[in-house]
Amino acid sequence: MDNKQLENWADKLINEYEQGRRGLSSMKNELGESEIDRQDKSKINSMIGEMTEAIEWMKIGRRPGNMRGIDKRSAYQRRALVDMDLFPSLDLQTEQYELSDREKKSLINVLVDLSHRERQCYLLHMAHGMSMREIGIELGMGKSTVQKYIERAKEKIENKISCRTNVVRTRIEDERVLI
């Protein structure tokens, strides 16, 4: 089935459900006020509610009103750019930045404390912009394992940087005392 046929099939199904819901509404309106009719109205109301939910589900393609898990992350509101020709040319010219020798040594000093896997995962994620899933496929491990390695690397780097800044702060304070 191509998209046109599938769309027509889904639209037909939605129309059938809406007709069924209208039929149930008219049946409910014809009922009186006796005890048996009230029980029937209650059952018809629940059937109408179920059909409404099914129609909504078919229209939006997911469970209606569900705000758990992926729905909280607004995955359904994200927009993907399919055709970049819609935008005028930005002509961005990025400037290459060369690290000084001192910056390179500082970077190596920070990365040397990481294990081989932590360094691999961290650099692939932070420097190359790869997703955790892509890194997992590349290195032959699970996404959660990659995530753990990156978290450990970030903790180690943060601890190392905070220790260095504390040492620098202490030295500056010591120099002030001497002055």
Side-chain angles (χ1 to χ4, degrees):
M1 259 196 254
D2 65 348
N3 269 349
K4 188 78 171 159
Q5 289 173 326
L6 187 64
E7 188 175 283
N8 290 336
W9 174 82
D11 290 339
K12 287 177 186 176
L13 185 62
I14 290 171
N15 285 334
E16 287 176 19
Y17 269 74
E18 288 174 341
Q19 287 173 359
R21 185 174 58 180
R22 283 191 292 271
L24 286 171
S25 293
S26 65
M27 284 175 61
K28 183 182 89 169
N29 292 336
E30 292 173 4
L31 294 173
E33 293 300 319
S34 70
E35 185 61 32
I36 295 173
D37 286 346
R38 281 192 210 136
Q39 290 175 355
D40 288 344
K41 279 185 181 181
S42 174
K43 289 181 181 178
I44 290 173
N45 276 337
S46 68
M47 291 167 63
I48 290 172
E50 293 291 325
M51 289 188 85
T52 302
E53 184 178 9
I55 291 168
E56 188 69 20
W57 196 317
M58 286 185 273
K59 284 182 178 177
I60 63 174
R62 61 183 174 92
R63 186 177 182 178
N66 191 20
M67 290 306 288
R68 305 184 85 181
I70 196 69
D71 291 329
K72 280 187 177 178
R73 291 193 232 151
S74 301
Y76 295 103
Q77 285 115 22
R78 291 191 184 131
R79 301 286 184 251
L81 297 176
V82 177
D83 189 7
M84 287 302 293
D85 293 334
L86 298 174
F87 294 96
S89 176
L90 298 176
D91 292 330
L92 295 176
Q93 294 179 357
T94 57
E95 193 174 305
Q96 289 287 357
Y97 179 75
E98 283 291 322
L99 294 175
S100 67
D101 288 336
R102 183 175 180 214
E103 289 171 325
K104 288 178 186 176
K105 286 178 185 176
S106 295
L107 185 59
I108 290 170
N109 188 26
V110 168
L111 294 176
V112 77
D113 289 339
L114 303 179
S115 72
H116 178 68
R117 284 292 189 189
E118 289 170 345
R119 193 176 318 113
Q120 273 184 319
C121 293
Y122 183 79
L123 289 175
L124 288 173
H125 184 66
M126 300 303 285
H128 294 283
M130 292 175 71
S131 71
M132 292 179 195
R133 185 175 162 273
E134 292 171 332
I135 296 169
I137 292 169
E138 179 79 22
L139 300 178
M141 61 178 77
K143 180 187 160 228
S144 60
T145 307
V146 171
Q147 183 177 2
K148 207 53 152 170
Y149 279 127
I150 293 171
E151 287 172 4
R152 283 189 209 151
K154 284 181 179 180
E155 283 178 26
K156 287 180 180 180
I157 290 169
E158 187 176 313
N159 288 338
K160 183 132 186 176
I161 290 173
S162 68
C163 287
R164 286 186 63 191
T165 55
N166 288 339
V167 168
V168 170
R169 251 188 245 127
T170 307
R171 285 184 185 162
I172 291 172
E173 289 168 3
D174 289 344
E175 289 174 5
R176 283 186 188 157
V177 170
L178 293 173
I179 296 174

